Amino acid sequence: MKKISMLILFFCCLGAVAHAEVDVLLKAKYDGTAVKLRWLPTDKELGYEYRLYRAPAVTPEKRLQIATLRMPSYEEAKSRITKENEYSLKLLYPFETASNRAEVNAYLTQLDNRLNMVLFLSIVKPEVASLLGQSYLDTTVEKGEAYVYTLETYNGTTLVMTKKIGIIAKKAAVLSMPWNVKAHLFPWGIGLKWQGYVPFAGFHVYRSESYTGEYVKVNKAPVQVQEAVNPDGTVDVAPYFFTDEISEKNTIYYYKVRGIDFFGDLGPYSDVAIGQVKIDHRPPPPPRPDLEISEDNITLQWTQNDEKVIGYNVYRAPEQSGPYNRLNSGLVSEFTYRDGTVTVDQNYFYLITAVNGGGYESLRSLAVLGVPVDVTPPPIAQDLKFSLNQATVNTHWSAVQANDLLGYRVYRTMDLENRDWQLLNQNPVPKALYADVLTKNLSRYPYYYRVTSVDTHHNESGPSTMVKVQLPDVTPPRPPSITGSSVREGQVALTWAQVQVYDLAGFYVYRDVDGQKLKVSHDLLTNPSFVDSSPPVDKPVVYTVVAVDVTGNESEASATVHLSVRDHIKPQILSFKAAVTKGEVVLTIVSKDTDLAGFDLFRSHNNRDFLKISHARINGSQFVDAKVRKGKRYFYKVVLWDKAANNTESIVREVRVPK
């Protein structure tokens, strides 16, 4: 046994620091032309943003930002990933790639195990590390210079960790090679083991049928060294790291091994190992068992792989690295085993061994993880009801009684034939009520609501009974468009285009004078026209029209029409008299109009040819004509004017001036 290095311990420690202070493992190496940087957050969080800075080692304060990195959106990731690594998208983007809610729930339950797999892939697959924003290749360095790199880790806008590392771009880093590769021949294949595995994250194994022939990679996925740390700090390592299941008998095979470092780079080949050494009496290890998982038990099933096997042992551990304890008291003669001592949400790793008639126990099978999951949904929500506040639908229901209740999901649809109801809340609401704030909408079509309950294991109940909601109509019609306006004989005539909506009730006309807005059509107008018979005179007037629906919602006002109505009413002459006094003719006119501008006076000798005798318009109600002759007859008439230039002509009055 030997002490383990910090790099090997890194994977074992990740689970323990998931809720501790965030740390970032930062490494750098120079490959002869560029500096490679690679980092990992110990809490396995995928949503961090990383800001990378570089500075000369002699002046570290003169740092420059050279990159900002983060995991891209799913659509961008699909365009960047190669076909070889497409399978990693399901691990990196489980919600986007899930085909149903059961898969989503499985991802939520197996979150930690999924993140561990992402972590391993990011180390052995540089493309995955780049997709996570956890690697950078600095090709702008100058050979022989020393640099200091600073990595800042952000959770949103919050800086959670700063790490620095220095490197000299002088001599290219050289990876070591695995050594002391040994091959052990079993009846089922050749087991391989080697030394020098500590600096590496994984390995590739290559095989040839001749010492100098072509060596072909035989492992599908990078080989990890399985080991367990003992309480005293020593490490137990698996007896063999890789088994090549060969079928050809009496054939000698030759093997080489290459390591994969933290940056995903391959190291040099090891020396050749020969794969025919000695015969082992142990039976071949059984295949990895399949699991059937329920809430209270896990059943293992496997197939027979050697006729000489007389039974099996079943082992279980809380972690993949162990320690494993045997569950069966006697050999299991069947190809199945039921473990009824499990607890929901706990990790259980299972492996089996085979025992032959000679009492030899095989090497262990590959371990398989089983996690009992609560699959029983909570009760269905009851008594779903609603109340309305304009366009807000307030739903409420009886609280579900369940110890593991997480909350409720609320669904809505406008089409009962559509099976895909719209989920309104992505996160379950904890209380038995939900307010759906809708935009103002026509009430022509109803909405339907239903509710489900969700437990902490994301099991979802069946839907509640449905409620039908008819919103009040709070949406007005479109505003009318005025098409014509005219002023005639002191009246204003308006016309507008008809508004085409199904619930139109009519129109109102508004008049604005000096900022005072007044509805002038007291009753709803069913036709798109209106005549204002009593508009204000000689004042600017603004008219607008609104459409009104059957609920009473008024539209926005139409475009304004600006008019001014001129006084068109002629002044009224109540009386016009002519009398001779002291040889002069006194003419008197009476009118009750208040906007008079005066009158003009006309005189004639024959009642035909009238001449205006007032040079200017006469104000007041009386005029004295002193330019008359005695014994002569005269005819008089007046034209009365108001301030709007309307006029009225009087009747003719005849007088004779005495001699």
Side-chain angles (χ1 to χ4, degrees):
M1 296 189 183
K2 59 189 180 69
K3 299 290 182 180
I4 190 166
S5 73
M6 288 302 294
L7 182 60
I8 297 297
L9 280 171
F10 179 69
F11 290 100
C12 302
C13 295
L14 280 177
V17 299
H19 302 289
E21 182 179 350
V22 178
D23 194 9
V24 176
L25 177 66
L26 175 62
K27 298 289 184 179
K29 77 172 183 178
Y30 179 62
D31 66 1
T33 59
V35 172
K36 292 184 175 182
L37 296 114
R38 180 76 174 90
W39 55 89
L40 285 172
T42 56
D43 63 353
K44 298 173 282 187
E45 171 61 45
L46 303 183
Y48 288 139
E49 177 182 283
Y50 303 98
R51 300 175 190 176
L52 185 63
Y53 301 83
R54 187 188 70 195
V58 293
T59 54
E61 70 280 0
K62 295 182 179 181
R63 72 175 194 175
L64 294 175
Q65 185 173 353
I66 58 175
T68 298
L69 303 163
R70 67 177 68 85
M71 196 167 82
S73 67
Y74 175 58
E75 293 301 323
E76 182 182 347
K78 286 197 300 183
S79 66
R80 287 173 51 182
I81 202 77
T82 59
K83 190 170 184 179
E84 176 188 0
N85 294 319
E86 278 184 350
Y87 66 91
S88 64
L89 291 177
K90 290 187 72 67
L91 293 170
L92 297 175
Y93 302 91
F95 298 102
E96 291 85 347
T97 56
S99 58
N100 52 55
R101 182 157 297 275
E103 285 192 16
V104 172
N105 292 342
Y107 288 135
L108 292 170
T109 303
Q110 301 290 334
L111 178 62
D112 194 63
N113 296 321
R114 179 180 68 86
L115 292 177
N116 284 334
M117 181 58 72
V118 170
L119 175 66
F120 176 68
L121 280 177
S122 71
I123 293 176
V124 298
K125 298 284 186 179
E127 186 180 47
V128 176
S130 175
L131 204 61
L132 290 171
Q134 295 176 358
S135 68
Y136 185 76
L137 181 66
D138 187 3
T139 59
T140 62
V141 297
E142 296 184 11
K143 192 168 184 177
E145 296 296 325
Y147 299 95
V148 174
Y149 291 89
T150 303
L151 180 70
E152 293 182 347
T153 303
Y154 286 84
N155 186 359
T157 58
T158 303
L159 177 64
V160 296
M161 174 56 63
T162 300
K163 276 296 184 72
K164 293 185 178 182
I165 192 169
I167 191 170
I168 301 175
K170 186 175 183 180
K171 186 177 181 181
V174 178
L175 291 177
S176 62
M177 70 176 183
W179 51 278
N180 196 21
V181 181
K182 293 183 178 180
H184 192 141
L185 180 64
F186 296 95
W188 62 89
I190 295 177
L192 292 143
K193 187 176 182 178
W194 53 87
Q195 297 292 328
Y197 56 80
V198 172
F200 297 101
F203 299 88
H204 288 319
V205 178
Y206 302 83
R207 182 183 67 203
S208 176
E209 293 186 6
S210 66
Y211 188 87
T212 59
E214 180 185 1
Y215 285 81
V216 179
K217 184 165 71 75
V218 292
N219 58 299
K220 294 181 179 179
V223 177
Q224 285 184 279
V225 174
Q226 302 296 324
E227 56 192 359
V229 182
N230 297 315
D232 61 358
T234 58
V235 179
D236 286 333
V237 183
Y240 294 99
F241 301 160
F242 178 77
T243 299
D244 185 14
E245 297 179 355
I246 58 173
S247 58
E248 295 292 332
K249 301 294 184 182
N250 301 317
T251 301
I252 297 177
Y253 292 98
Y254 302 85
Y255 294 91
K256 293 182 179 181
V257 178
R258 299 179 74 183
I260 307 170
D261 71 0
F262 186 61
F263 299 86
D265 293 333
L266 283 169
Y269 288 99
S270 68
D271 292 332
V272 176
I274 301 176
Q276 187 173 18
V277 181
K278 63 179 181 179
I279 299 296
D280 195 301
H281 297 288
R282 290 177 290 183
R288 182 166 59 181
D290 296 323
L291 302 183
E292 289 186 3
I293 303 173
S294 66
E295 290 186 38
D296 56 2
N297 70 84
I298 295 178
T299 299
L300 292 78
Q301 294 179 336
W302 60 90
T303 57
Q304 184 182 24
N305 66 329
D306 188 276
E307 295 180 353
K308 297 179 180 179
V309 170
I310 62 172
Y312 300 88
N313 290 320
V314 179
Y315 296 85
R316 187 183 76 184
E319 297 179 4
Q320 185 178 18
S321 58
Y324 284 88
N325 297 315
R326 193 174 72 176
L327 299 180
N328 54 299
S329 57
L331 286 178
V332 179
S333 58
E334 304 294 332
F335 306 122
T336 182
Y337 181 84
R338 181 178 180 274
D339 180 11
T341 61
V342 296
T343 304
V344 168
D345 292 339
Q346 295 296 317
N347 284 358
Y348 296 98
F349 291 87
Y350 294 91
L351 55 83
I352 57 176
T353 61
V355 179
N356 61 18
Y360 293 98
E361 185 175 16
S362 72
L363 294 175
R364 296 171 173 179
S365 70
L366 293 176
V368 60
L369 171 63
V371 183
V373 178
D374 177 9
V375 295
T376 303
I380 296 174
Q382 303 293 329
D383 303 322
L384 177 60
K385 297 177 183 178
F386 73 93
S387 61
L388 289 174
N389 181 8
Q390 293 187 351
T392 298
V393 180
N394 296 298
T395 54
H396 54 93
W397 55 92
S398 298
V400 168
Q401 301 301 317
N403 293 332
D404 60 348
L405 183 70
L406 178 63
Y408 306 91
R409 290 180 178 141
V410 183
Y411 295 86
R412 182 187 69 203
T413 188
M414 295 181 71
D415 182 8
L416 290 178
E417 295 182 0
N418 185 358
R419 295 184 178 181
D420 296 324
W421 288 52
Q422 180 185 0
L423 175 62
L424 301 182
N425 54 314
Q426 293 299 324
N427 297 318
V429 293
K431 296 184 178 180
L433 52 90
Y434 183 82
D436 185 18
V437 181
L438 300 168
T439 55
K440 290 186 176 181
N441 203 305
L442 294 174
S443 61
R444 191 173 186 180
Y445 302 104
Y447 291 93
Y448 300 90
Y449 291 83
R450 67 187 187 190
V451 177
T452 62
S453 53
V454 183
D455 64 19
T456 54
H457 293 87
H458 303 279
N459 297 306
E460 187 171 11
S461 74
S464 68
T465 54
M466 177 182 63
V467 293
K468 177 181 178 181
V469 178
Q470 185 73 52
L471 288 181
D473 184 1
V474 293
T475 303
R478 297 189 306 275
S481 176
I482 296 178
T483 57
S485 62
S486 62
V487 179
R488 186 175 181 182
E489 296 182 354
Q491 296 182 332
V492 175
L494 299 172
T495 58
W496 54 89
Q498 185 64 270
V499 176
Q500 302 297 329
V501 293
Y502 76 96
D503 60 345
L504 181 69
F507 306 91
Y508 284 131
V509 178
Y510 287 88
R511 184 178 69 200
D512 190 320
V513 179
D514 296 331
Q516 299 295 318
K517 193 172 184 179
L518 177 68
K519 185 192 295 181
V520 292
S521 57
H522 300 292
D523 298 325
L524 271 175
L525 304 172
T526 56
N527 295 319
S529 63
F530 177 72
V531 175
D532 185 4
S533 59
S534 57
V537 176
D538 294 332
K539 288 187 176 182
V541 184
V542 179
Y543 288 92
T544 54
V545 182
V546 299
V548 185
D549 62 20
V550 294
T551 310
N553 298 306
E554 290 190 11
S555 72
E556 294 182 0
S558 66
T560 57
V561 172
H562 296 258
L563 298 171
S564 180
V565 179
R566 179 176 169 272
D567 182 6
H568 70 287
I569 300 176
K570 296 179 179 181
Q572 185 178 3
I573 300 175
L574 297 179
S575 67
F576 173 54
K577 295 179 181 181
V580 179
T581 303
K582 297 179 181 182
E584 296 175 333
V585 178
V586 179
L587 299 123
T588 304
I589 185 170
V590 178
S591 175
K592 291 186 178 181
D593 286 51
T594 59
D595 61 339
L596 294 176
F599 62 90
D600 295 326
L601 180 61
F602 295 85
R603 184 177 68 191
S604 173
H605 296 285
N606 55 15
N607 201 20
R608 292 190 304 274
D609 302 320
F610 284 88
L611 293 175
K612 182 180 178 183
I613 62 174
S614 56
H615 298 291
R617 191 158 291 165
I618 303 168
N619 292 316
S621 60
Q622 197 174 70
F623 182 81
V624 177
D625 185 8
K627 296 180 180 181
V628 293
R629 296 179 181 181
K630 294 180 180 180
K632 294 293 183 179
R633 185 176 65 171
Y634 295 96
F635 299 89
Y636 292 92
K637 66 179 181 180
V638 296
V639 175
L640 183 64
W641 295 86
D642 64 14
K643 293 179 180 179
N646 299 302
N647 65 83
T648 302
E649 186 175 315
S650 70
I651 62 175
V652 177
R653 293 297 185 183
E654 179 184 355
V655 296
R656 183 180 291 274
V657 180
K659 291 182 180 180

